[in-house]
Each structure stands twice: as C-alpha cells, then as structure tokens.
C-alpha cells in the first residue's frame, strides 16, 4: 500500500508540471492557427482594383511608354503618376549604397542631382496632374489610354460576352465625357463616330477623360438586329432593375457600371425601320444643364424632346448626368456624311469644354433650334415616292410624296400640314396606313415652349412609332408604340 501511495503521489506531482506545458503549447498553436485567417481577411479588401494595362489607341500613345524607359524622364513623370516604383527603387538603392563606406564619396557627389530633380518638378506639376481613374475594377493612370470591358451579369449557359469600353484618361484634370453607340445593334454610324474620336485623342494633350462604348448592344450587333435576343428594345429599360427582366438587368448593369461614372453623356443613334434623320441633337431643353450642353456642340440642328421613359438619355439626365442624343442617317448602312457631322459635333464639344484644342470648321455658323416637331403619317397603303429630301424647307400644303397602289394604280398625295423643315423621313418603300413618313421641325420660340403644357410638347417621339394621331391614345402595355431611335 505504501508503494502504491508513493507512486500515486509522484504521478500527481508530475501532472502539476506537465499540464501547464500542454496548456502553453495549445495557446501557441491556436495563436499560430489564427494568424493566417487575419491575413486572409486583410488581403481581399486591397485586391479588387487592378492597374489597367496601357493600350495603344493611337500611334502617339507610344511616347509615354518610350519615355518611361529612360531614367531621367521616368523620374520626372512618376511623382504625378500612379506608378511610383521607379522613384522608390532609386531611393532604396541610394540608401543601401550610403551604408557601404568605400562608395560614400561617389554618392555624395550625385546626391544634389537625385534630390533636386523631383523637388523642382513636383511643385508646378502636382496641382495640374489628374488623379487615377477607377472604373470597372481597374485603375487607369493619368496620361494613358486603356481598353476595359463591361460584362452584364446576364448570360446563357455560362457564356458571357464582354463589351469593350475604351478609356482615354488625360494627363490633366477635367470633365468625364461618355460616348455610347449601337444601343440598337443595327445602327452603324455612331459606332464609327466613337471609334474615330477615341482613337484620335492623345492622352498627353487631353484635359479630363473620354469614355467610349462603340457597341453597347453587342448581341444585337452580331445579328444586325435592333433588339436584344429576346426581342426587347434595350433603350426602353434604363436605368434598369437588377431583379427585373433580362433587358432590365443589362440596362441596370451598364447604367451603374459606366453611365454613373460620367459627368455628361452623348448617345449616338440613327433612324429606325428604314427611316433616315438629318444630323440633329435630341434634348430636353427644359433642363438647363442639358440646354447648356447643346450650345457647346457646334452648328447642328437641335430638336426638343424630353425622351420616352426608359431611354438612356432621359434616365441619365434624371440621375444628374446631362445627356443628349445625336441622330444622324439611317440604320444598317455606314454613311460618311452622317459620320463626319457626328465627329465634328463631338470634337466641338470637347474643344468648347477645354478638353482638347480642336476647332472643327462648320459651313454654317448656326442651325435652327426646333422646339416642336410633327410626324406626318401615310393615309393609305402602297409604295412611297418622295418629292423632298432631308433638310428641305417646306410650306404648309406642299407636296411631300406620293403613295401609289401597284394593284389599282390609285394615287395618294402626302401634303405638309405645317410649314417647317424636313428633319427625318422614310426611305422609298412599301408602307401601310399610319406609317410615319415625314418628320417636320416647326419654327417656334422658347416662350411658346414654356407656355405650352409639358404633356403636349414632350410627346414628340424619336422615330414616329410612339406618337399617334391626337384622337388615338396608345395602350400602356403596347411596347411597339414606344419605339425610339
């Protein structure tokens, strides 16, 4: 019994010393296990934004890349630019060399050059340098251009089609102007306008940012179709709904990812359904910010139109981004004259805003502003032969065109109900009664616009399919009556 008691006493003493050791080991293991979780929580918050790759949108854009290779120019430009590794690496090299005694004399003779060069340039350049642009999960450095991509969260079987977004971020601060085209996939003129403007800008000379989306409706463009694959018109669903239909989700994604990053928006369109438009600006002239924007876009016809609910320019303006629509030409065809007019109007805007030093030449000093307009519709079915052209000025009662029935040989004249200017018209084609054939801009004044009820003046549609004769009221559920160019 005594031996057993002694062994149990010794075992008890040993546990008194061993248990604390196990406890300490457990504490160290738990602390070591918790450390990786703390680090993993901190790293994701810093990872979302990545530097955008500099893309050569223009031959001149290669100059910043060449200068970055040289030691002197990179040291001068880096203080005002986002990429700062070259100066930091130079400082660390000097710090390491100063600790090395044999080389001390050679370094002291070079210190004035290394320390004075950034100090002299930082003071004047710093306040004029633009800040990096963070957009679509990327960071675009000042004085560079990039090709980003926007992908709507709507795909079929995991197949997503990224839409290119071109960005030219100027070396100097300024406004952000957004250009969008091909919201309707069959409208080609605007695509060329965006391409020409974006690829001709030198970011070193730009003050501000120009964001261009040449093809918004990429799915419709691939099929040469105005609509999305589900036959919905994307320009009826802005600003969109993240939980709505496919079109509403695409509109919401584009609106929140691109449009809300801009200070002003230019949406480029053409006529629709075999119609053509005189180059013109559609804008809500009741909005002071939008009206001021139209005055900066050169000698181009301006037509007042608030825009139908769901169209991009109306949604953008209501969200605080002044927006206008440039209408020029017809769909499914690339027209040089319409493209040139659109380019001149956009470049005039950039010049007036002080973003670029470009002064396009306009043949006319000023074009009229039409605060009201009226569509003239076919009263009979048949083949249309027009007697007028875009831009013609007509008087009330003038002959606009003739509709001939190829079976009965009957003839129906289309007469101008009011005096004005032809700002849009249907191409010669087969048409049915009620088809919008001619769009006439009416000569009116600002006072008449202000005195007229909003409902009466703002029901002007974009291509003629959303307005009916006054005695007819379209059903709210009939989407075909809400077409917009």
């Amino acid at each position: 019994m005594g031996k057993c008691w002694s062994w149990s006493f010794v075992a008890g003493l040993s546990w008194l010393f061993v248990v604390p050791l196990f406890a300490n080991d457990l504490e160290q293991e738990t602390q070591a296990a918790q450390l990786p979780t703390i680090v993993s929580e901190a790293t994701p918050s810093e990872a979302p934004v990545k530097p955008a790759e500099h893309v050569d949108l223009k031959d001149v854009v290669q100059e910043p890349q060449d200068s970055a290779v040289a030691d002197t120019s990179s040291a001068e430009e880096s203080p005002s630019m986002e990429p700062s590794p070259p100066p930091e690496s130079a400082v660390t090299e000097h710090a390491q060399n100063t600790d090395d005694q044999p080389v001390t004399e050679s370094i002291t003779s070079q210190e004035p050059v290394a320390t004075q060069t950034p100090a002299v340039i930082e003071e004047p350049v710093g306040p004029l340098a633009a800040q990096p642009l963070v957009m679509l999960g990327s960071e675009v450095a000042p004085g560079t251009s990039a090709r980003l991509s926007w992908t709507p969260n709507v795909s079929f079987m995991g197949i997503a089609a990224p839409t290119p977004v071109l960005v030219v971020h100027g070396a100097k601060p300024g406004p952000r102007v957004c250009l969008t085209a091909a919201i309707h996939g069959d409208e080609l003129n605007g695509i060329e306008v965006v391409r020409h403007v974006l690829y001709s800008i030198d970011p070193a000379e730009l003050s501000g940012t120009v964001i261009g989306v040449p093809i918004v409706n990429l799915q419709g463009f691939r099929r040469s179709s105005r609509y999305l694959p589900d036959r919905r018109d994307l320009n009826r669903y802005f600003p969109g709904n993240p939980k709505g239909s496919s079109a509403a989700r695409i509109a919401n994604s584009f609106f929140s990812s691109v449009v809300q990053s801009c200070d002003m928006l230019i949406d480029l369109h053409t006529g629709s359904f075999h119609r053509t438009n005189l180059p013109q600006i559609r804008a809500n002239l009741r909005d002071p910010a939008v009206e001021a924007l139209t005055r900066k876009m050169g000698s181009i016809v301006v037509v007042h139109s608030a825009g139908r609910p769901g169209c991009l320019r109306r949604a953008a303006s209501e969200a605080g981004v002044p927006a206008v629509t440039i209408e020029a030409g017809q769909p499914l065809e690339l027209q040089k004259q319409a493209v040139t007019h659109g380019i001149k109007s956009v470049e005039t805007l950039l010049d007036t805003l002080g973003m670029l030093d470009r002064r396009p030449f306009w043949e006319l000093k000023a074009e009229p502003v039409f605060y009201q307009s009226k569509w003239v519709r076919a009263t009979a079915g048949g083949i249309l032969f027009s007697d007028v052209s875009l831009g013609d000025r007509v008087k009330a009662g003038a002959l606009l065109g003739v509709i001939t029935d190829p079976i009965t040989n009957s003839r129906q004249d289309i007469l101008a109900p009011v005096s004005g200017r032809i700002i849009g018209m249907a191409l010669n084609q087969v048409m049915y009664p009620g088809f919008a054939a001619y769009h006439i801009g009416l000569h009116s004044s600002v006072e008449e616009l202000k005195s007229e009820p909003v409902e009466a003046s703002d029901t002007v549609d974009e291509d003629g399919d959303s307005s009916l004769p006054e005695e007819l009221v379209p059903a709210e559920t009939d989407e075909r009556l809400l077409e917009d160019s």
Side-chain angles (χ1 to χ4, degrees), residues 146-461:
R147 186 181 292 113
L148 308 180
S149 62
W150 160 69
T151 303
N153 297 325
V154 178
S155 61
F156 175 73
M157 297 293 291
I159 302 175
T163 300
V165 178
L166 307 178
V167 178
V168 181
H169 190 35
K172 293 169 286 187
R176 297 178 184 175
V177 177
C178 185
L179 308 177
T180 58
I183 286 183
H184 298 130
D186 60 348
E187 298 178 358
L188 307 182
N189 290 332
I191 299 175
E192 176 60 17
V193 172
V194 176
R195 184 205 66 80
H196 180 91
V197 172
L198 267 293
Y199 279 83
S200 65
I201 297 177
D202 181 0
E205 300 176 356
L206 178 65
S207 297
T209 307
V210 180
I211 302 170
V213 188
I215 308 173
V216 177
N217 183 4
L218 191 59
Q219 297 173 339
F221 173 76
R222 289 174 173 173
R223 297 178 294 108
S224 299
S225 171
R226 172 185 177 91
Y227 301 107
L228 295 170
D230 61 355
R231 289 287 300 171
R232 283 188 169 92
D233 188 335
L234 180 59
N235 208 26
R236 293 294 168 275
Y237 290 89
F238 290 102
N241 185 346
K243 298 182 179 179
S245 64
S246 175
R249 296 180 185 219
I250 294 175
N252 176 263
S253 175
F254 183 76
F255 196 84
S256 59
S257 300
V258 179
V259 176
Q260 291 184 332
S261 300
C262 306
D263 296 326
M264 58 196 74
L265 172 72
I266 312 298
D267 189 24
L268 294 114
H269 286 265
T270 71
S272 64
F273 302 114
H274 306 290
R275 298 185 185 90
T276 183
N277 287 323
L278 184 74
Q280 60 192 260
I281 293 176
R282 303 267 177 90
N284 181 10
L285 299 179
R286 296 178 182 272
D287 188 331
V290 174
E291 191 270 342
L293 180 60
T294 62
R295 294 180 180 272
K296 298 179 174 65
M297 301 186 68
S299 180
I300 184 171
V301 171
V302 179
V303 181
H304 168 69
S305 173
R308 288 291 170 177
C311 72
L312 177 58
R313 67 177 173 90
R314 176 166 178 169
S317 297
E318 292 175 349
V321 181
V324 300
T325 296
I326 293 182
E327 293 272 355
Q330 66 190 62
L332 294 173
E333 186 175 338
L334 199 60
Q335 300 166 294
K336 183 177 180 180
Q337 184 177 3
V339 171
T340 302
H341 212 104
I343 293 172
K344 289 170 62 177
S345 185
V346 173
E347 289 184 343
T348 301
L349 173 64
L350 299 179
D351 179 80
T352 308
L353 293 173
M355 299 176 65
L356 281 177
D357 186 11
R358 295 185 182 179
R359 297 174 178 83
F361 173 75
W362 293 93
E363 296 179 0
L364 300 176
K365 293 183 179 180
E367 284 280 9
V369 176
F370 298 106
Y371 295 98
Q372 300 177 22
S373 63
K374 182 177 182 63
W375 277 96
V376 182
R377 297 179 176 273
T379 56
I383 300 176
L384 172 68
F385 295 94
S386 292
D387 284 359
V388 295
S389 302
L390 283 177
D392 288 353
R393 290 174 172 82
V394 297
K395 294 183 179 181
L399 178 65
L400 301 179
V402 177
I403 297 179
T404 303
D405 189 326
I407 305 301
T408 63
N409 199 31
S410 62
R411 171 191 172 106
Q412 182 72 37
D413 294 341
I414 302 180
L415 305 179
V418 292
S419 299
R421 189 179 184 187
I422 304 298
I423 59 176
M425 59 184 291
L427 304 175
N428 289 338
Q429 59 184 289
V430 177
M431 57 177 53
Y432 295 92
F435 191 88
Y438 300 96
H439 194 191
I440 302 178
L442 308 180
H443 295 283
S444 60
S445 62
V446 182
E447 289 73 19
E448 293 177 0
L449 176 66
K450 293 181 179 179
S451 62
E452 192 176 54
V454 176
E455 292 77 8
S457 63
D458 289 354
T459 53
V460 178
D461 66 322

Side-chain angles (χ1 to χ4, degrees), residues 75-76 79 113-123:
E76 294 176 356
V113 178
T115 56
Q116 291 179 1
T117 302
V120 174
I121 296 178
E122 279 183 356
E123 293 181 359

